Amino acid sequence: MNSPHPFGRTLTPEMLAARFESLMLWEDRYRQIILLARELPALPPELKQLKTELAGCENQVWLGGELLEDGTMHYYGDSDGRIVKGLLAILLTASEGKTPQQIMVSDPLALFQQLNILEQLSSSRASGLNSLAAGIKNIAQSYL
């Protein structure tokens, strides 16, 4: 497994929802996103390639994925921006461990709605997040 991380398997969407549940102020949610970014390990240089770099984000972002032997997807990624990296961690939590078929029929941004994050993002960050979500789907599609 390339670049293992806790998101989606150890840290589940339910656990993430519990972390955000008591955070009423946007500043507190913002801090939590930064803390999540710190939990996402940096990608090794060999995984930060042109083929894993995503366009459409303000910061540099790398996203890759692989199909594991059990038929589920493992996604990995990194960003040079703390907020974007934290948003990526949330996206990985929503997508990790699902089959490509499950990914294709799910909304990777639904967890962001549940956490009340989407409405607070700037238009450029929201656009970047949409690019990340599309990247998740494109990777899953490549394994169908």
PDB file of all heavy atoms in Angstrom, residues 5 8 10-11 28 36 44-45 47 51 56-57 65-66 76-77 79 81 93 105 114 125 127-128 130 134 141 143:
ATOM      1  N   HIS A   5      -2.187   5.912   5.663  1.00  0.00           N
ATOM      2  CA  HIS A   5      -2.668   6.996   6.515  1.00  0.00           C
ATOM      3  C   HIS A   5      -3.861   6.486   7.315  1.00  0.00           C
ATOM      4  O   HIS A   5      -4.411   5.438   6.998  1.00  0.00           O
ATOM      5  CB  HIS A   5      -3.048   8.223   5.674  1.00  0.00           C
ATOM      6  CG  HIS A   5      -4.061   7.927   4.625  1.00  0.00           C
ATOM      7  ND1 HIS A   5      -5.402   7.734   4.907  1.00  0.00           N
ATOM      8  CD2 HIS A   5      -3.931   7.748   3.286  1.00  0.00           C
ATOM      9  CE1 HIS A   5      -6.054   7.473   3.786  1.00  0.00           C
ATOM     10  NE2 HIS A   5      -5.186   7.472   2.793  1.00  0.00           N
ATOM     11  N   GLY A   8     -10.250   7.125   6.953  1.00  0.00           N
ATOM     12  CA  GLY A   8     -11.193   6.219   6.329  1.00  0.00           C
ATOM     13  C   GLY A   8     -11.185   4.820   6.909  1.00  0.00           C
ATOM     14  O   GLY A   8     -12.181   4.127   6.853  1.00  0.00           O
ATOM     15  N   THR A  10      -8.903   3.849  10.096  1.00  0.00           N
ATOM     16  CA  THR A  10      -8.781   4.059  11.541  1.00  0.00           C
ATOM     17  C   THR A  10      -9.652   5.225  11.974  1.00  0.00           C
ATOM     18  O   THR A  10     -10.390   5.140  12.954  1.00  0.00           O
ATOM     19  CB  THR A  10      -7.308   4.324  11.935  1.00  0.00           C
ATOM     20  OG1 THR A  10      -6.505   3.252  11.447  1.00  0.00           O
ATOM     21  CG2 THR A  10      -7.150   4.429  13.430  1.00  0.00           C
ATOM     22  N   LEU A  11      -9.566   6.321  11.261  1.00  0.00           N
ATOM     23  CA  LEU A  11     -10.397   7.504  11.524  1.00  0.00           C
ATOM     24  C   LEU A  11     -11.557   7.472  10.527  1.00  0.00           C
ATOM     25  O   LEU A  11     -11.381   7.746   9.343  1.00  0.00           O
ATOM     26  CB  LEU A  11      -9.585   8.791  11.359  1.00  0.00           C
ATOM     27  CG  LEU A  11     -10.328  10.098  11.610  1.00  0.00           C
ATOM     28  CD1 LEU A  11     -10.843  10.173  13.038  1.00  0.00           C
ATOM     29  CD2 LEU A  11      -9.433  11.276  11.320  1.00  0.00           C
ATOM     30  N   ASP A  28     -12.963  27.471  14.857  1.00  0.00           N
ATOM     31  CA  ASP A  28     -12.672  26.181  15.481  1.00  0.00           C
ATOM     32  C   ASP A  28     -12.640  25.069  14.441  1.00  0.00           C
ATOM     33  O   ASP A  28     -11.807  24.172  14.513  1.00  0.00           O
ATOM     34  CB  ASP A  28     -13.710  25.868  16.555  1.00  0.00           C
ATOM     35  CG  ASP A  28     -13.632  26.831  17.719  1.00  0.00           C
ATOM     36  OD1 ASP A  28     -12.540  27.381  17.981  1.00  0.00           O
ATOM     37  OD2 ASP A  28     -14.678  27.044  18.371  1.00  0.00           O
ATOM     38  N   LEU A  36      -6.120  18.073  11.112  1.00  0.00           N
ATOM     39  CA  LEU A  36      -6.234  16.913  10.228  1.00  0.00           C
ATOM     40  C   LEU A  36      -5.095  16.890   9.213  1.00  0.00           C
ATOM     41  O   LEU A  36      -4.561  15.831   8.897  1.00  0.00           O
ATOM     42  CB  LEU A  36      -7.588  16.916   9.513  1.00  0.00           C
ATOM     43  CG  LEU A  36      -8.801  16.629  10.398  1.00  0.00           C
ATOM     44  CD1 LEU A  36     -10.088  16.877   9.621  1.00  0.00           C
ATOM     45  CD2 LEU A  36      -8.759  15.211  10.935  1.00  0.00           C
ATOM     46  N   PRO A  44       5.992  10.625  -0.173  1.00  0.00           N
ATOM     47  CA  PRO A  44       7.395  10.570  -0.566  1.00  0.00           C
ATOM     48  C   PRO A  44       7.564  11.194  -1.953  1.00  0.00           C
ATOM     49  O   PRO A  44       6.618  11.211  -2.755  1.00  0.00           O
ATOM     50  CB  PRO A  44       7.713   9.075  -0.565  1.00  0.00           C
ATOM     51  CG  PRO A  44       6.410   8.365  -0.569  1.00  0.00           C
ATOM     52  CD  PRO A  44       5.379   9.317  -0.044  1.00  0.00           C
ATOM     53  N   PRO A  45       8.751  11.711  -2.236  1.00  0.00           N
ATOM     54  CA  PRO A  45       8.974  12.396  -3.523  1.00  0.00           C
ATOM     55  C   PRO A  45       8.594  11.568  -4.755  1.00  0.00           C
ATOM     56  O   PRO A  45       8.106  12.110  -5.732  1.00  0.00           O
ATOM     57  CB  PRO A  45      10.476  12.703  -3.509  1.00  0.00           C
ATOM     58  CG  PRO A  45      10.845  12.699  -2.068  1.00  0.00           C
ATOM     59  CD  PRO A  45       9.925  11.732  -1.384  1.00  0.00           C
ATOM     60  N   LEU A  47       6.125   9.752  -5.223  1.00  0.00           N
ATOM     61  CA  LEU A  47       4.685   9.804  -5.483  1.00  0.00           C
ATOM     62  C   LEU A  47       4.214  11.205  -5.864  1.00  0.00           C
ATOM     63  O   LEU A  47       3.056  11.389  -6.236  1.00  0.00           O
ATOM     64  CB  LEU A  47       3.898   9.296  -4.276  1.00  0.00           C
ATOM     65  CG  LEU A  47       4.059   7.809  -3.963  1.00  0.00           C
ATOM     66  CD1 LEU A  47       3.286   7.440  -2.702  1.00  0.00           C
ATOM     67  CD2 LEU A  47       3.613   6.951  -5.134  1.00  0.00           C
ATOM     68  N   LYS A  51       1.959  12.961 -12.994  1.00  0.00           N
ATOM     69  CA  LYS A  51       0.728  12.192 -13.206  1.00  0.00           C
ATOM     70  C   LYS A  51      -0.203  12.211 -11.991  1.00  0.00           C
ATOM     71  O   LYS A  51      -1.391  11.957 -12.118  1.00  0.00           O
ATOM     72  CB  LYS A  51       1.033  10.756 -13.626  1.00  0.00           C
ATOM     73  CG  LYS A  51       1.618   9.888 -12.545  1.00  0.00           C
ATOM     74  CD  LYS A  51       1.842   8.480 -13.048  1.00  0.00           C
ATOM     75  CE  LYS A  51       2.320   7.592 -11.906  1.00  0.00           C
ATOM     76  NZ  LYS A  51       2.429   6.222 -12.290  1.00  0.00           N
ATOM     77  N   GLY A  56      -6.293  22.845 -11.070  1.00  0.00           N
ATOM     78  CA  GLY A  56      -7.533  23.431 -10.578  1.00  0.00           C
ATOM     79  C   GLY A  56      -7.508  23.795  -9.113  1.00  0.00           C
ATOM     80  O   GLY A  56      -8.531  24.166  -8.552  1.00  0.00           O
ATOM     81  N   CYS A  57      -6.366  23.697  -8.475  1.00  0.00           N
ATOM     82  CA  CYS A  57      -6.235  24.051  -7.063  1.00  0.00           C
ATOM     83  C   CYS A  57      -5.242  25.196  -6.934  1.00  0.00           C
ATOM     84  O   CYS A  57      -4.297  25.293  -7.709  1.00  0.00           O
ATOM     85  CB  CYS A  57      -5.745  22.856  -6.249  1.00  0.00           C
ATOM     86  SG  CYS A  57      -6.873  21.454  -6.260  1.00  0.00           S
ATOM     87  N   GLY A  65      -4.161   6.786  -6.262  1.00  0.00           N
ATOM     88  CA  GLY A  65      -4.959   5.714  -5.680  1.00  0.00           C
ATOM     89  C   GLY A  65      -4.590   4.385  -6.283  1.00  0.00           C
ATOM     90  O   GLY A  65      -3.977   4.313  -7.353  1.00  0.00           O
ATOM     91  N   GLU A  66      -4.964   3.358  -5.556  1.00  0.00           N
ATOM     92  CA  GLU A  66      -4.695   2.005  -6.033  1.00  0.00           C
ATOM     93  C   GLU A  66      -5.791   1.080  -5.542  1.00  0.00           C
ATOM     94  O   GLU A  66      -6.423   1.340  -4.513  1.00  0.00           O
ATOM     95  CB  GLU A  66      -3.322   1.540  -5.546  1.00  0.00           C
ATOM     96  CG  GLU A  66      -3.172   1.535  -4.043  1.00  0.00           C
ATOM     97  CD  GLU A  66      -1.738   1.310  -3.590  1.00  0.00           C
ATOM     98  OE1 GLU A  66      -0.920   0.797  -4.356  1.00  0.00           O
ATOM     99  OE2 GLU A  66      -1.448   1.663  -2.425  1.00  0.00           O
ATOM    100  N   TYR A  76      -4.232   8.203  -1.669  1.00  0.00           N
ATOM    101  CA  TYR A  76      -3.181   8.911  -0.953  1.00  0.00           C
ATOM    102  C   TYR A  76      -2.993  10.262  -1.615  1.00  0.00           C
ATOM    103  O   TYR A  76      -3.324  10.446  -2.792  1.00  0.00           O
ATOM    104  CB  TYR A  76      -1.864   8.114  -0.950  1.00  0.00           C
ATOM    105  CG  TYR A  76      -1.445   7.617  -2.316  1.00  0.00           C
ATOM    106  CD1 TYR A  76      -0.647   8.395  -3.145  1.00  0.00           C
ATOM    107  CD2 TYR A  76      -1.859   6.373  -2.779  1.00  0.00           C
ATOM    108  CE1 TYR A  76      -0.271   7.947  -4.401  1.00  0.00           C
ATOM    109  CE2 TYR A  76      -1.486   5.919  -4.028  1.00  0.00           C
ATOM    110  CZ  TYR A  76      -0.688   6.707  -4.835  1.00  0.00           C
ATOM    111  OH  TYR A  76      -0.319   6.260  -6.083  1.00  0.00           O
ATOM    112  N   GLY A  77      -2.526  11.218  -0.846  1.00  0.00           N
ATOM    113  CA  GLY A  77      -2.348  12.544  -1.407  1.00  0.00           C
ATOM    114  C   GLY A  77      -1.579  13.450  -0.483  1.00  0.00           C
ATOM    115  O   GLY A  77      -1.249  13.097   0.650  1.00  0.00           O
ATOM    116  N   SER A  79      -0.527  18.033  -0.143  1.00  0.00           N
ATOM    117  CA  SER A  79      -0.625  19.392  -0.660  1.00  0.00           C
ATOM    118  C   SER A  79       0.386  20.254   0.074  1.00  0.00           C
ATOM    119  O   SER A  79       0.741  19.969   1.219  1.00  0.00           O
ATOM    120  CB  SER A  79      -2.028  19.958  -0.450  1.00  0.00           C
ATOM    121  OG  SER A  79      -2.080  21.321  -0.861  1.00  0.00           O
ATOM    122  N   GLY A  81      -0.375  23.258   0.855  1.00  0.00           N
ATOM    123  CA  GLY A  81      -1.212  24.175   1.634  1.00  0.00           C
ATOM    124  C   GLY A  81      -1.878  23.438   2.788  1.00  0.00           C
ATOM    125  O   GLY A  81      -2.447  22.358   2.589  1.00  0.00           O
ATOM    126  N   THR A  93     -11.041  10.436   4.081  1.00  0.00           N
ATOM    127  CA  THR A  93     -11.887   9.762   5.074  1.00  0.00           C
ATOM    128  C   THR A  93     -13.192   9.288   4.441  1.00  0.00           C
ATOM    129  O   THR A  93     -13.665   8.189   4.725  1.00  0.00           O
ATOM    130  CB  THR A  93     -12.193  10.707   6.259  1.00  0.00           C
ATOM    131  OG1 THR A  93     -10.964  11.135   6.834  1.00  0.00           O
ATOM    132  CG2 THR A  93     -13.036  10.027   7.313  1.00  0.00           C
ATOM    133  N   VAL A 105     -20.948   5.769  -7.250  1.00  0.00           N
ATOM    134  CA  VAL A 105     -22.349   6.102  -6.958  1.00  0.00           C
ATOM    135  C   VAL A 105     -22.502   6.997  -5.726  1.00  0.00           C
ATOM    136  O   VAL A 105     -23.616   7.382  -5.373  1.00  0.00           O
ATOM    137  CB  VAL A 105     -23.232   4.833  -6.796  1.00  0.00           C
ATOM    138  CG1 VAL A 105     -23.259   4.036  -8.083  1.00  0.00           C
ATOM    139  CG2 VAL A 105     -22.775   3.991  -5.622  1.00  0.00           C
ATOM    140  N   GLN A 114     -22.078  17.315   5.791  1.00  0.00           N
ATOM    141  CA  GLN A 114     -22.396  16.848   7.134  1.00  0.00           C
ATOM    142  C   GLN A 114     -21.588  17.617   8.186  1.00  0.00           C
ATOM    143  O   GLN A 114     -22.091  17.906   9.260  1.00  0.00           O
ATOM    144  CB  GLN A 114     -22.108  15.354   7.236  1.00  0.00           C
ATOM    145  CG  GLN A 114     -22.426  14.755   8.579  1.00  0.00           C
ATOM    146  CD  GLN A 114     -22.048  13.288   8.656  1.00  0.00           C
ATOM    147  OE1 GLN A 114     -21.642  12.670   7.684  1.00  0.00           O
ATOM    148  NE2 GLN A 114     -22.177  12.722   9.848  1.00  0.00           N
ATOM    149  N   ARG A 125     -11.282  27.826  -3.095  1.00  0.00           N
ATOM    150  CA  ARG A 125     -11.087  26.568  -2.349  1.00  0.00           C
ATOM    151  C   ARG A 125     -12.173  25.562  -2.716  1.00  0.00           C
ATOM    152  O   ARG A 125     -11.914  24.373  -2.839  1.00  0.00           O
ATOM    153  CB  ARG A 125     -11.081  26.816  -0.846  1.00  0.00           C
ATOM    154  CG  ARG A 125      -9.761  27.351  -0.371  1.00  0.00           C
ATOM    155  CD  ARG A 125      -9.338  26.725   0.946  1.00  0.00           C
ATOM    156  NE  ARG A 125      -7.997  27.153   1.257  1.00  0.00           N
ATOM    157  CZ  ARG A 125      -7.678  28.172   2.041  1.00  0.00           C
ATOM    158  NH1 ARG A 125      -8.628  28.877   2.602  1.00  0.00           N
ATOM    159  NH2 ARG A 125      -6.428  28.481   2.262  1.00  0.00           N
ATOM    160  N   SER A 127     -13.699  25.366  -5.546  1.00  0.00           N
ATOM    161  CA  SER A 127     -13.350  24.878  -6.878  1.00  0.00           C
ATOM    162  C   SER A 127     -12.247  23.825  -6.793  1.00  0.00           C
ATOM    163  O   SER A 127     -12.307  22.785  -7.456  1.00  0.00           O
ATOM    164  CB  SER A 127     -12.902  26.049  -7.755  1.00  0.00           C
ATOM    165  OG  SER A 127     -12.467  25.597  -8.999  1.00  0.00           O
ATOM    166  N   GLY A 128     -11.247  24.081  -5.963  1.00  0.00           N
ATOM    167  CA  GLY A 128     -10.174  23.106  -5.764  1.00  0.00           C
ATOM    168  C   GLY A 128     -10.694  21.811  -5.164  1.00  0.00           C
ATOM    169  O   GLY A 128     -10.278  20.717  -5.554  1.00  0.00           O
ATOM    170  N   ASN A 130     -13.703  20.634  -5.517  1.00  0.00           N
ATOM    171  CA  ASN A 130     -14.410  19.940  -6.599  1.00  0.00           C
ATOM    172  C   ASN A 130     -13.437  19.201  -7.502  1.00  0.00           C
ATOM    173  O   ASN A 130     -13.721  18.095  -7.963  1.00  0.00           O
ATOM    174  CB  ASN A 130     -15.266  20.917  -7.401  1.00  0.00           C
ATOM    175  CG  ASN A 130     -16.518  21.310  -6.661  1.00  0.00           C
ATOM    176  OD1 ASN A 130     -17.098  20.514  -5.927  1.00  0.00           O
ATOM    177  ND2 ASN A 130     -16.949  22.546  -6.827  1.00  0.00           N
ATOM    178  N   ALA A 134     -13.426  15.187  -8.119  1.00  0.00           N
ATOM    179  CA  ALA A 134     -13.403  14.629  -9.471  1.00  0.00           C
ATOM    180  C   ALA A 134     -12.217  13.682  -9.632  1.00  0.00           C
ATOM    181  O   ALA A 134     -12.326  12.630 -10.271  1.00  0.00           O
ATOM    182  CB  ALA A 134     -13.348  15.749 -10.507  1.00  0.00           C
ATOM    183  N   GLN A 141     -12.841   5.245 -11.412  1.00  0.00           N
ATOM    184  CA  GLN A 141     -13.296   4.857 -12.753  1.00  0.00           C
ATOM    185  C   GLN A 141     -12.234   4.070 -13.486  1.00  0.00           C
ATOM    186  O   GLN A 141     -12.537   3.126 -14.227  1.00  0.00           O
ATOM    187  CB  GLN A 141     -13.662   6.122 -13.556  1.00  0.00           C
ATOM    188  CG  GLN A 141     -14.147   5.856 -14.963  1.00  0.00           C
ATOM    189  CD  GLN A 141     -15.500   5.150 -14.989  1.00  0.00           C
ATOM    190  OE1 GLN A 141     -16.409   5.520 -14.263  1.00  0.00           O
ATOM    191  NE2 GLN A 141     -15.635   4.155 -15.842  1.00  0.00           N
ATOM    192  N   TYR A 143     -10.394   1.849 -12.427  1.00  0.00           N
ATOM    193  CA  TYR A 143     -10.325   0.476 -11.962  1.00  0.00           C
ATOM    194  C   TYR A 143     -11.604  -0.314 -12.249  1.00  0.00           C
ATOM    195  O   TYR A 143     -11.717  -1.465 -11.852  1.00  0.00           O
ATOM    196  CB  TYR A 143     -10.013   0.435 -10.461  1.00  0.00           C
ATOM    197  CG  TYR A 143      -8.579   0.801 -10.181  1.00  0.00           C
ATOM    198  CD1 TYR A 143      -8.243   2.065  -9.728  1.00  0.00           C
ATOM    199  CD2 TYR A 143      -7.556  -0.123 -10.403  1.00  0.00           C
ATOM    200  CE1 TYR A 143      -6.921   2.415  -9.481  1.00  0.00           C
ATOM    201  CE2 TYR A 143      -6.232   0.222 -10.171  1.00  0.00           C
ATOM    202  CZ  TYR A 143      -5.925   1.473  -9.706  1.00  0.00           C
ATOM    203  OH  TYR A 143      -4.621   1.813  -9.475  1.00  0.00           O
TER     204      TYR A 143
END
